[in-house]
Amino acid sequence: MLPFFFDFRLLIWIAPAIVLALWAQWRVKSAFAAASRLPAPLSGAAAARHILDSAGASNVQVESVGGSLTDHYDPSTKVLRLSQDVYGAKSLAAVGIAAHEAGHALQDAEK
């Protein structure tokens, strides 16, 4: 039951944002699924390590983290965390996501 003060006009403003967010999430997941079928010579972890070492950021650790598409760089601990779908996979999607996250680490290194 909705509280008596709920204004349905609010839905006019919120609904498009929700629809847009769901559409964007669907696009990311479908692009990841398609690129996951394309092979690559390196795993996501190996690609990230290569990029970081080549740029002189060997102090950044690369770790596996649970979940799907939970990849991120933590600047407070200097750790690049790759989801299980990315860390060990040898696919275009894994290498692309790992390179993207390594880019965040390099941005942090350059301040």
Side-chain angles (χ1 to χ4, degrees):
M1 175 179 275
L2 294 174
F4 68 92
F5 55 84
F6 184 79
D7 187 355
F8 283 98
R9 291 176 291 181
L10 183 62
L11 288 178
I12 293 171
W13 295 98
I14 293 175
I18 292 171
V19 170
L20 181 62
L22 291 173
W23 175 80
Q25 183 179 20
W26 173 78
R27 292 282 305 196
V28 167
K29 287 185 177 188
S30 63
F32 179 78
S36 291
R37 292 188 289 272
L38 302 173
L42 296 174
S43 68
R49 182 79 272 151
H50 178 71
I51 292 167
L52 293 168
D53 290 345
S54 296
S58 56
N59 64 324
V60 176
Q61 300 298 313
V62 179
E63 298 177 352
S64 179
V65 67
S68 180
L69 296 176
T70 54
D71 314 277
H72 63 280
Y73 170 67
D74 183 355
S76 64
T77 59
K78 306 289 188 227
V79 176
L80 192 156
R81 294 187 176 98
L82 299 174
S83 63
Q84 296 165 347
D85 296 341
V86 173
Y87 188 86
K90 290 185 175 183
S91 70
L92 182 62
V95 171
I97 289 173
H100 172 87
E101 297 304 331
H104 289 302
L106 298 179
Q107 286 175 328
D108 179 50
E110 294 176 6
K111 307 279 188 250

